[in-house]
Amino acid sequence: MTTVAPIAPTEQPGVAAFAALAAHAEGPEWLMARRAAAAAHFAEVGVPSSRNEEWRFTPVSGIATTAWTAPGVSPAVSAEEVAALRLSEGPLAVLIDGRFAPDLSALPAEIGAKSLQAAIDSGDAVVRQYLGTVAPPEMTPFSALSLATFTDGVVLHIAANTTLDAPLEIMHLTTSAADGALVAPRVLVTAGQNARGAVVEQFVSLADTLHFSNAVTELVLGEESWVEHIRVQREGERAWHIGFTHADQARASHYRGFALSLGAKLCRHNIHARLGGEQVETLMYGLYLTRNEQLADTHSAIFHDQPNSNSWEVYKGVLADKSRAVFNGKVFVQPIAQKTDAKQTNRNLLLSDTARVDTKPQLEIFADDVKCTHGATVGRLNDEQRYYLQTRGIGGRTAQELLIWAFAAEVLTEVTVSRIRAGIETIVRVRLDEMLG
Amino acid sequence: MPLLQITDLHASADEKEILKGISLTVNAGEVHAIMGPNGSGKSTLAQVLAGHPAYDVTSGTATLEGEDLLDMEAEERAWAGVFLAFQYPVEIPGVTNAYFLRMAFNEIRKARGLDELDPMDFLDILEEKLRVVQWGPEIMERAVNFGFSGGEKKRNEILQMAVLEPKLAILDETDSGLDIDALRIVSDGVNALRRPDRAIILVTHYQRLLDFIVPDFVHVLAGGKIVKSGGKELALELEAKGYEWLTGVAEGAAV
């Protein structure tokens, strides 16, 4: 048996390019210190190889072998173009190639949202408190890379005892200027005590470029707050997309996440929630649709740090062609976290013989009085259901569509904002129609 | 021309012959009961007529109004007017009964060159059909057969039959697992759907159902063949004597 020596991170061409990008990063002293620490950490660990258990089925070496640049000068994007892609009608923050676009955004002062850069410049103490600390750089190599290199982003503070009337929509758009570039936006959402609100983030490519989106979203949920976070990733199929969402939850807060992933050549989404108080509720729903040679990877981690809290997770996938999906669901229950109720489900529907799913629950339970369950399935369309529909006159493709839709509907109905749900349903219907060819 | 004409039908599953030469003529307006012991091939006959892909027809013919039924996909048979009420109706989580029924109704209309009905117009038709099985509209918002009791599933099959208005309805063991009240509701529904231009085939093990839905003809299936045919009095004879005297005949005939 021969062994191959691992490439030292510093020998990765991408790492040098990232270091150059990090060297151009700006900010006040406190931020530069964090950026430097993150850059140092990333230089040490580098882009993970498939020998890293967390990345075993998700080859990202292509990120390490590319000398990514900063995005060039973005072409003009019209308000109509943006409007056509929207899922909601309320406040809007638009980022073009990772840079905030004030002319396309609509952020009334009273909703407490602004660009991350503006918030940093104004000396926002909340940003200083949380930026890069909710999702600490050592959590994944790419969260470190994000902190070292992020260009701009969006901050939303929902004040205590207030309700955001309409969801904030954040559009992460890439243009032809993103070709060969690293696009690195960050979002920070804080909800004060008893605050309520919904945020929808979309990732869309306006040009079919080969770029690398490395997006981080941090959410801080105060006591008794309620936050719904919807994430729609529909980038072009040449893109690399690495996303990291982390929610920190205080006592009696409610986090409700929904992630749709149907874009990018390779998409990896880490979604983490830390249940840091009692009576916390964490709901994570997701749907991934893959085709051609796409890969969609979801790594979730739910940290039950305190007793009497619940988490409920359902992720579903529909795979066509030679596409692949990876699901890894971690649930950590600390010794103190008695009466934890955690349920995790991952179901996959294969539409071809060549699609493949690697799904793995990973429950680490150190308390003895808990209810933790998990279930994972990988299957095909049910022949008996198809036959039953046929005998009722519903045949061929119509029957297929109906059954796939029924499979996906279970998670789609969990988006509570009806207008956004309807928009997401349309996106899913169009893609399923394309997948069936 | 008879509505359904089956001639010397042989069918097998996993290369095991189950139907060994069935011939049967069913005219519009008639109700035929097909009885027989377990394993006689009754349910296979129902599934072969509906187009279940697990069965291979090895020889023989089956025509609906002269059209070759065996050459059609299951959905094409539904478009042509065949309906099978399943012994074990299939659950479809995630699809409401209302959506499913309207889609089935419209697919059949489309295949016949008729306009599709929108949800509001369909609702008018549905209200009338729900009365056939003595149901309120709330059942329509539940997922198809999902979490339904045995009786509810059978009622749902009859509701579908009422909506889809087939020329030939085949009811496979519709009485199995029903208590007497549910059996009465289901039977009343079927009787309300008897029409001069529609034929019904009741596949059943027990005579009990035939107290409620009185057939014109009774056939006894044993060993993959019809071993005896008669009028409704044959069912009573079977009730009194059991199947043994006839299955004996079947074995003798096979020698």
Side-chain angles (χ1 to χ4, degrees):
Chain A
M1 199 177 86
T2 58
T3 55
V4 178
I7 301 171
T10 47
E11 292 170 30
Q12 295 173 341
V15 173
F18 289 134
L21 291 169
H24 284 93
E26 295 174 350
E29 207 173 311
W30 63 267
L31 178 57
M32 291 314 285
R34 283 182 207 177
R35 281 185 184 277
H41 178 74
F42 180 75
E44 194 185 317
V45 296
V47 173
S49 77
S50 56
R51 277 182 292 272
N52 181 329
E53 185 60 28
E54 288 296 290
W55 296 85
R56 198 172 142 205
F57 301 108
T58 307
V60 288
S61 56
I63 292 176
T65 53
T66 307
W68 303 99
T69 62
V73 177
S74 306
V77 174
S78 74
E80 291 72 25
E81 245 176 305
V82 175
L85 293 166
R86 291 201 64 182
L87 287 169
S88 63
E89 286 179 314
L92 171 67
V94 177
L95 287 120
I96 307 286
D97 300 321
R99 295 174 289 233
F100 184 69
D103 296 348
L104 294 168
S105 303
L107 296 173
E110 67 272 16
I111 67 153
K114 57 173 80 166
S115 79
L116 178 56
Q117 207 59 65
I120 292 168
D121 291 347
S122 70
D124 186 325
V126 180
V127 171
R128 180 168 180 171
Q129 184 180 352
Y130 292 116
L131 187 72
T133 65
V134 180
E138 58 277 11
M139 266 190 161
T140 77
F142 295 108
S143 59
L145 178 65
S146 163
L147 193 57
T149 61
F150 77 87
T151 42
D152 205 345
V154 178
V155 173
L156 169 68
H157 301 312
I158 314 172
N161 301 310
T162 60
T163 295
L164 204 58
D165 289 332
L168 169 65
E169 184 160 11
I170 302 171
M171 309 276 284
H172 300 277
L173 306 178
T174 56
T175 69
S176 55
D179 202 37
L182 166 69
V183 179
R186 276 186 91 98
V187 171
L188 173 64
V189 176
T190 64
Q193 183 166 6
N194 194 33
R196 294 176 69 89
V199 177
V200 53
E201 285 190 82
Q202 284 206 73
F203 296 85
V204 185
S205 301
L206 299 179
D208 188 20
T209 53
L210 200 173
H211 64 270
F212 169 28
S213 284
N214 187 33
V216 172
T217 299
E218 294 170 294
L219 302 110
V220 182
L221 280 72
E223 294 190 351
E224 295 165 31
S225 65
W226 187 103
V227 174
E228 180 165 9
H229 177 229
I230 297 155
R231 187 181 204 276
V232 176
Q233 187 277 109
R234 43 175 176 143
E235 294 203 89
E237 286 177 45
R238 296 175 64 210
W240 299 83
H241 183 100
I242 306 279
F244 188 14
T245 301
H246 187 104
D248 250 12
Q249 295 187 253
R251 185 189 61 80
S253 64
H254 175 107
Y255 173 75
R256 188 181 190 96
F258 173 86
L260 172 66
S261 176
L262 50 75
K265 166 172 72 179
L266 179 147
C267 173
R268 162 71 169 250
H269 184 216
N270 274 65
I271 177 161
H272 296 186
R274 186 172 299 281
L275 287 63
E278 298 197 36
Q279 271 85 46
V280 167
E281 196 160 53
T282 304
L283 306 177
M284 287 182 185
Y285 298 99
L287 177 67
Y288 40 90
L289 308 175
T290 57
R291 61 178 176 186
N292 302 325
E293 297 191 7
Q294 282 184 299
L295 187 156
D297 174 348
T298 301
H299 266 61
S300 67
I302 298 174
F303 302 91
H304 279 273
D305 287 0
Q306 294 294 326
N308 299 311
S309 289
N310 304 331
S311 65
W312 175 268
E313 180 178 20
V314 184
Y315 265 76
K316 290 195 161 188
V318 182
L319 292 87
D321 308 323
K322 291 170 81 174
S323 66
R324 297 183 53 184
V326 178
F327 180 84
N328 177 285
K330 294 184 179 65
V331 178
F332 298 100
V333 182
Q334 295 302 320
I336 193 182
Q338 301 292 0
K339 304 285 182 195
T340 286
D341 188 347
K343 181 166 184 184
Q344 176 190 98
T345 307
N346 173 234
R347 297 197 186 289
N348 298 277
L349 186 55
L350 304 181
L351 302 182
S352 78
D353 294 334
T354 45
R356 175 193 160 113
V357 176
D358 293 286
T359 176
K360 181 181 167 193
Q362 200 176 327
L363 276 56
E364 297 187 20
I365 300 164
F366 303 102
D368 50 15
D369 184 16
V370 300
K371 210 168 95 187
C372 295
T373 61
H374 63 85
T377 59
V378 180
R380 294 173 182 287
L381 282 177
N382 182 306
D383 286 339
E384 285 303 313
Q385 290 179 338
R386 276 174 89 162
Y387 170 60
Y388 189 67
L389 293 175
Q390 283 183 291
T391 64
R392 301 314 185 238
I394 304 167
R397 191 183 163 124
T398 314
Q400 256 182 312
E401 277 173 351
L402 181 64
L403 291 176
I404 298 170
W405 184 255
F407 175 82
E410 188 197 346
V411 284
L412 295 175
T413 54
E414 296 297 341
V415 175
T416 69
V417 187
S418 59
R419 189 191 161 85
I420 295 175
R421 183 172 65 241
I424 288 173
E425 285 176 353
T426 302
I427 292 169
V428 170
R429 275 192 195 282
V430 168
R431 175 52 57 90
L432 287 177
D433 190 50
E434 290 168 2
M435 283 166 66
L436 288 172
Chain B
M1 187 192 297
L3 179 69
L4 175 70
Q5 180 73 61
I6 304 174
T7 310
D8 195 27
L9 187 67
H10 291 250
S12 56
D14 294 330
E15 294 177 14
K16 181 172 179 282
E17 187 165 59
I18 300 173
L19 301 184
K20 301 175 178 173
I22 303 251
S23 295
L24 180 66
T25 303
V26 176
N27 293 301
E30 295 175 352
V31 175
H32 290 241
I34 294 181
M35 304 185 69
N38 291 330
S40 59
K42 327 184 278 293
S43 281
T44 298
L45 177 62
Q47 294 291 359
V48 165
L49 291 174
H52 196 294
Y55 299 99
D56 292 321
V57 175
T58 49
S59 68
T61 59
T63 58
L64 187 79
E65 295 178 315
E67 297 285 323
D68 182 4
L69 208 51
L70 303 177
D71 194 37
M72 299 179 197
E73 295 290 331
E75 65 269 28
E76 293 172 319
R77 300 182 198 202
W79 301 342
V82 175
F83 178 88
L84 172 66
F86 281 52
Q87 182 178 4
Y88 303 109
V90 179
E91 297 187 354
I92 308 182
V95 180
T96 64
N97 230 6
Y99 188 83
F100 165 67
L101 263 180
R102 182 164 59 86
M103 187 179 240
F105 181 82
N106 277 331
E107 287 295 307
I108 290 173
R109 280 181 72 91
K110 240 175 16 188
R112 294 176 185 168
L114 300 168
D115 286 341
E116 296 181 49
L117 290 196
D118 66 33
M120 293 312 289
D121 289 337
F122 180 69
L123 207 59
D124 292 340
I125 290 178
L126 195 58
E127 276 179 14
E128 172 203 328
K129 304 298 184 185
L130 280 166
R131 281 198 287 274
V132 171
V133 287
Q134 301 172 40
W135 251 344
E138 58 284 351
I139 198 77
M140 301 313 294
E141 292 315 312
R142 291 172 60 185
V144 181
N145 295 327
F146 186 63
F148 281 31
S149 69
E152 284 175 327
K153 285 181 179 171
K154 298 300 174 78
R155 271 163 92 175
N156 207 23
E157 296 292 286
I158 304 308
L159 172 64
Q160 292 171 36
M161 173 180 162
V163 169
L164 301 179
E165 300 199 317
K167 290 176 185 160
L168 174 67
I170 305 159
L171 277 55
D172 188 9
E173 306 271 7
T174 294
D175 51 329
S176 70
L178 294 187
D179 62 35
I180 196 73
D181 292 331
L183 181 61
R184 186 167 284 124
I185 291 170
V186 164
S187 306
D188 287 351
V190 174
N191 284 326
L193 296 171
R194 286 178 82 151
R195 289 200 337 212
D197 59 351
R198 173 177 297 147
I200 297 173
I201 296 176
L202 304 168
V203 173
T204 182
H205 186 86
Y206 299 104
Q207 190 272 337
R208 184 177 76 144
L209 176 69
L210 308 183
D211 288 340
F212 295 90
I213 308 170
V214 180
D216 301 303
F217 302 96
V218 174
H219 311 276
V220 180
L221 199 61
K225 288 183 171 182
I226 291 176
V227 294
K228 194 165 180 61
S229 295
K232 61 186 174 233
E233 64 288 349
L234 177 57
L236 296 169
E237 203 177 345
L238 285 167
E239 177 81 349
K241 294 189 189 174
Y243 284 113
E244 291 77 9
W245 61 287
L246 284 172
T247 52
V249 171
E251 280 154 16
V255 172

